[in-house]
Every structure is written in structure tokens, then in C-alpha cells.
Amino acid sequence: MGLLTIAFLWLMVVLPVSVLAAPYAAFVMDARTGEVLHSTNADTRLHPASLTKMMTLYIAFEAIERGEISLDTMVRISRNAAAEPPSKLGLQAGQRIKLRYLIRAAAVKSANDAATAIGEAIEGSEAAFARRMNRTAKAMGMTRTTFKNANGLTRDGHLSTARDMSILGRHLLYDYSDYYNLFSRISTDAGMRTVNNTNRRFLAAYRGADGIKTGYTRAAGFNLVASAERGQERIIATVFGGRSTAARNAKVAELLDLGFRRAPSQVALRKPSRPAYVGSGSARPSTGGDTEVAAASGAAGKTIRLLTAVPKSLRPQARPGSTQAPVLVAVKDDIHDALKQVMAEETKPAAPAALPKENLPTRLAQEELPSPRMRPGDLVLASAGAQKQAVEQVLAEAVAADAQADQPREVVTRLSTSGGRHWGINVGRYPSRYAAEKVLVKTALAEMATLDGSLRKVVNRKGGFDANFVGLTREKADLACRRLQARQVSCFMIGPS
């Protein structure tokens, strides 16, 4: 064995991974417009590692939206998926688990077994799913990317670029914003256990950071696609080939700072166009209940649930020239229309009772029917008057509330009337105030029976923002927590301070 070979092998054994760094690349863009703010080796084809899972998750969200599969689909784990090396959730061959937990594990823990199971569940095999990944990448404009698997483990030809991964991150952000909160979770319930975010250090350290995905293999180095929002500005920065987690995070923070300095404060949002749908599955409605698919190579078809619910309810636009809130204007108009209709119905003459057709000629011949007497024009029925008075009171209150809209005041999420209720519950800690507020609203809507009358409160802690409900009795707090925990929502009670 030559001296050079021996020296190289000695370096591989003795020197840390950080010294044997992978090739470096970086890319920064204004997420609102796609404008490039910085680029270094951005089109060099490198190993993406677990950044690959961004495409796996994008296709999973697309398949759910298209009705190919549902979040509650029970996925049966194949030997191929269970045999993937770490990082992994620990899935066993033959195990059945809901798709929602596989998505959480792939997004937060970067679990390789979960990512492979997602691909097999959607397309029947890992190879077929990789082909769909490549079709989707091409439709997005990722011109220098080739996928070979769903998890990003090193394989010949499995390559991408910093530019392409930034494009993918931007599509995740805007195409599936309802799912984007997954990437900012510090931890999450993955069905089998609670898993921690591989990006939690950066999320906690950089103000405004809310995603997106880390990646590491020996061939790739330490990779990260990160997104952060401050005020009206949102920046995406991508790094390939970091020397360590700390060095990578420091570099990404530096690039995001550069992006915020260079990006204009005010700019029109230009979301990316959705890529053409290139799925190979054809959706067909199920017969109801949970469905199951086999995450195994060569699976012959899948039973799916077709989702037909409207994904988002649009807020009505304000009328031209109006300064009032659109919802309030609509309510006023509806009340006025209803009042007019009630008044018209109550004051018009009552129609004479209808006579059977067969008896009408006989009765007309026998007697002269009196003409109905017209009611006085100024007569107002008591029921209509009372309703008008009630409606006018509602209108007065609405106008008064609208008039106060321009007055400076302290904004609260909900008025509390605790009345001696000093207990509360905590439903998690999140990296941003926005994320905590969003969880509070969703939780309040899902558990209205026990949380009605409570106050939603976000508390800034050292490790993030606590999402709390306060102003509850001890019994209500205990009941709310037990009901939320039954739905796999993290919750604990907060006693009087």
C-alpha cells in the first residue's frame, strides 16, 4: 500500500468530519418575488441529502389535495421502508400507521423510514415515486435536479443545486401554506412517540425563522434551506456543504441578514405559479371510514378518500370608497334587507282562504262573498315593530363598534370575564408569536365546548412563545386538557400564579 493511500486513510479515521467538508454553495432570494439577492456556486450539482424530503412532502400535500390519499389513510410499512438507516422513526415491517404521522416524522425529525413509506404509499414503489419527483421538479423549473429516492440518502445521480432547492422551498411556502407550520414545530407527536425538530437550534436562535429543512450526509456536508419573515419581508437562504451544524447555522444567519438588507421593504407579492399536476394515480371516492394502502414495492392500486371540502373561505372585499369593515357592511345590508322584507310581509293584506275548485261555482251562486277590508296604511303590527326595534338596536351597536375602530386601544385576542377563574392550560411552545396565535385559534375552534369564555394568551419565554388559554376554572381546565390529549394535542394545566 502506497504512502499516499495510508496517509489518506489515516486522515479519514483521525480528522473530524468538519475538516473533510463537501463542496460549498449558497443562494439567497426574496421569497415574495423570487428575485436573486446572492449566489455562490448556486447551479453546481451537489448532494442534497435530506433536503430531498421537501419534494417528498410537497408531493404528499399535492396527493392529499387531489384526493389520491388522505391524512387518515393507514399505511402498511414495507420491509424496504423499515430497513432504512437513521435518522428514522423506528417503523416495523407490517406495521400500520396514519399518513399524518409519517408526514410529521419526515418534516420534523427527517426520518428516512417515514419518507420512504410516504413515497411507497402514494406511488406503490420507491422507484415510481422518484419518477414522479423528477416530473414535479421539471414542472417547477428545477432544471438541474435528479431524484433517485424519497429520503435523500446518498445514491449515484441523486443531485440538486442550491438554486433548485430554494425554488422548491418557495413552492412549499406558497403552494401549501396550510401545511407550512409543520416546519416550524420544535417537536411534534409522530404517533409512535414525540420527535424533536432537527432545525430547532436555528429556529430558536434566528428572529423570524420558521423553516424549512435540514440535511446531512458525509457526501453532502451540512445543508439547510431556511426561511425567515420580518415585517413585510420574507427571505429564503440555502447552504450546501456546511462544515458543522453550528457553522452552517451561522452562515445561513449571515445570508438571511444579507437578504433582509438588500430586499426592498415594500414590494408586490408575486407568488410562484403552481406546477402542472403530474401524478400517475387517478382518484376515486372511497366508501367511507379509514382507508389503508400498502407501502410496498409493486403494490397494485390504492384505495383512497376523495376530499371535496373547500380548502379556504375567502374574505369579502370592501366596497369601493368604503372605510367600514367589509363584514360589518354586509351585516348591516342583510339586516336592512331582512327588516324591509319583514315589514312588507307583515303589512300587506292577508289573502282570503282558498276554496276547493269543485265547490267554488256553487258557493258563488249561493252567496255573495264580501270583499276583504283594506288595512289602514299607517298600521304597524306589534311583531314587526318589536323586531324593528331589536334590529335597530343591533345596528346601533354595530355602528358604535365600527366608529371606535379608529380609536387607539390595546388589542386583545378575546375579552376575558374570568369571574374568579384563575386556572389555564398550555398547548405548546412555538418559535414565533404568529405560530402560537395560529395554534390557539385552531385549538379554540376545535374545543369550543370547554374553552368558550377563556382568554387566548401568548407568553414570550426564553425558548419560544407559550400558547396558553387562561381564565378557566380548575374543572374546565382539567376537562379541556383531557379532551385535547385524547386528540393527541400536547396540553398541561397552569395553576393560579
Side-chain angles (χ1 to χ4, degrees):
M1 185 179 294
L3 292 176
L4 289 176
T5 303
I6 294 173
F8 178 75
L9 291 176
W10 182 84
L11 287 173
M12 290 289 291
V13 173
V14 175
L15 294 182
V17 174
S18 59
V19 175
L20 306 172
Y24 171 81
F27 189 79
V28 183
M29 71 157 61
D30 186 332
R32 301 165 299 175
T33 62
E35 179 186 357
V36 179
L37 303 176
H38 173 80
S39 175
T40 302
N41 299 326
D43 296 311
T44 302
R45 282 165 57 85
L46 301 170
H47 296 284
S50 286
L51 302 187
T52 300
K53 295 184 178 75
M54 291 195 298
M55 179 60 81
T56 300
L57 293 163
Y58 185 95
I59 294 176
F61 302 152
E62 178 184 63
I64 293 167
E65 181 183 66
R66 291 279 179 167
E68 297 177 57
I69 199 167
S70 85
L71 287 169
D72 292 322
T73 296
M74 298 299 293
V75 177
R76 189 163 58 249
I77 304 303
S78 69
R79 290 183 179 179
N80 179 49
E84 295 287 14
S87 174
K88 60 193 298 182
L89 183 60
L91 300 169
Q92 302 296 317
Q95 175 184 351
R96 297 169 69 250
I97 186 171
K98 287 186 177 182
L99 178 69
R100 68 173 69 247
Y101 296 129
L102 296 176
I103 288 175
R104 294 177 188 178
V108 175
K109 181 176 172 53
S110 195
N112 294 321
D113 50 357
T116 299
I118 291 170
E120 292 176 342
I122 293 174
E123 285 294 327
S125 72
E126 189 176 25
F129 188 74
R131 290 192 292 271
R132 177 165 174 176
M133 295 170 75
N134 290 323
R135 293 194 302 270
T136 305
K138 184 177 180 180
M140 276 186 192
M142 299 170 63
T143 59
R144 297 183 60 78
T145 294
T146 305
F147 293 113
K148 297 291 186 177
N149 56 44
N151 51 42
L153 290 170
T154 303
R155 188 176 296 181
D156 288 344
H158 187 98
L159 300 168
S160 186
T161 69
R163 184 190 304 273
D164 281 359
M165 281 296 157
S166 300
I167 292 172
L168 175 55
R170 186 169 182 244
H171 275 281
L172 266 177
L173 172 64
Y174 289 115
D175 293 356
Y176 293 104
S177 56
D178 289 344
Y179 293 98
Y180 184 75
N181 70 88
L182 275 171
F183 302 103
S184 64
R185 297 184 185 182
I186 301 301
S187 63
T188 191
D189 175 18
M192 297 170 60
R193 58 193 173 94
T194 297
V195 295
N196 294 322
N197 198 321
T198 57
N199 197 30
R200 59 189 180 277
R201 293 180 183 176
F202 185 80
L203 292 172
Y206 193 85
R207 180 169 62 88
D210 55 11
I212 305 175
K213 189 72 192 71
T214 63
Y216 169 77
T217 61
R218 180 173 295 177
F222 293 83
N223 299 348
L224 175 60
V225 177
S227 177
E229 183 178 35
R230 293 181 180 177
Q232 301 299 316
E233 302 168 23
R234 179 176 281 279
I235 305 297
I236 292 176
T238 298
V239 162
F240 275 60
R243 294 175 177 270
S244 66
T245 299
R248 175 200 67 194
N249 289 353
K251 187 62 181 178
V252 171
E254 176 186 327
L255 292 172
L256 286 172
D257 287 343
L258 178 149
F260 282 116
R261 288 196 303 270
R262 294 185 179 180
S265 296
Q266 300 293 332
V267 67
L269 175 63
R270 297 195 300 271
K271 295 182 180 180
S273 300
R274 281 274 191 108
Y277 174 63
V278 294
S280 59
S282 57
R284 59 182 186 272
S286 72
T287 56
D290 286 347
T291 57
E292 181 180 325
V293 297
S297 180
K302 308 186 286 275
T303 302
I304 54 83
R305 176 182 297 162
L306 183 62
L307 304 178
T308 58
V310 177
K312 186 178 293 185
S313 177
L314 300 180
R315 182 180 180 132
Q317 298 296 316
R319 297 182 179 182
S322 174
T323 59
Q324 294 179 323
V327 175
L328 182 58
V329 172
V331 169
K332 288 181 181 178
D333 290 343
D334 290 345
I335 292 174
H336 279 301
D337 292 343
L339 180 59
K340 291 178 181 179
Q341 183 177 358
V342 169
M343 293 297 294
E345 292 292 333
E346 293 289 352
T347 57
K348 71 180 181 181
L355 298 175
K357 291 183 178 181
E358 60 275 15
N359 296 333
L360 185 58
T362 305
R363 290 199 58 183
L364 287 175
Q366 292 177 352
E367 59 180 298
E368 183 179 352
L369 296 177
S371 299
R373 186 173 58 183
M374 297 295 294
R375 296 179 181 177
D378 58 349
L379 177 63
V380 179
L381 296 182
S383 59
Q387 186 159 358
K388 179 180 180 181
Q389 182 179 4
V391 170
E392 287 176 345
Q393 183 179 352
V394 172
L395 277 174
E397 293 174 355
V399 171
D402 189 40
Q404 295 175 0
D406 295 328
Q407 299 298 322
R409 64 194 187 278
E410 181 183 0
V411 178
V412 296
T413 354
R414 185 167 185 162
L415 182 63
S416 173
T417 55
S418 62
R421 297 174 291 176
H422 304 296
W423 287 77
I425 63 172
N426 175 283
V427 291
R429 179 170 294 177
Y430 302 90
S432 67
R433 180 175 294 276
Y434 170 78
E437 290 282 4
K438 189 172 182 180
V439 170
L440 285 173
V441 171
K442 287 186 176 180
T443 305
L445 292 175
E447 192 53 45
M448 295 178 65
T450 54
L451 295 177
D452 185 36
S454 63
L455 170 67
R456 298 191 294 272
K457 183 177 181 180
V458 176
V459 181
N460 189 356
R461 304 290 188 192
K462 184 177 180 181
F465 293 83
D466 281 358
N468 299 336
F469 288 92
V470 297
L472 296 167
T473 64
R474 178 169 183 167
E475 292 73 18
K476 274 292 184 71
D478 179 61
L479 177 60
C481 255
R482 284 190 283 109
R483 288 170 64 96
L484 290 172
Q485 288 168 351
R487 287 204 290 266
Q488 307 301 317
V489 176
S490 174
C491 178
F492 63 84
M493 292 173 59
I494 306 171
S497 56

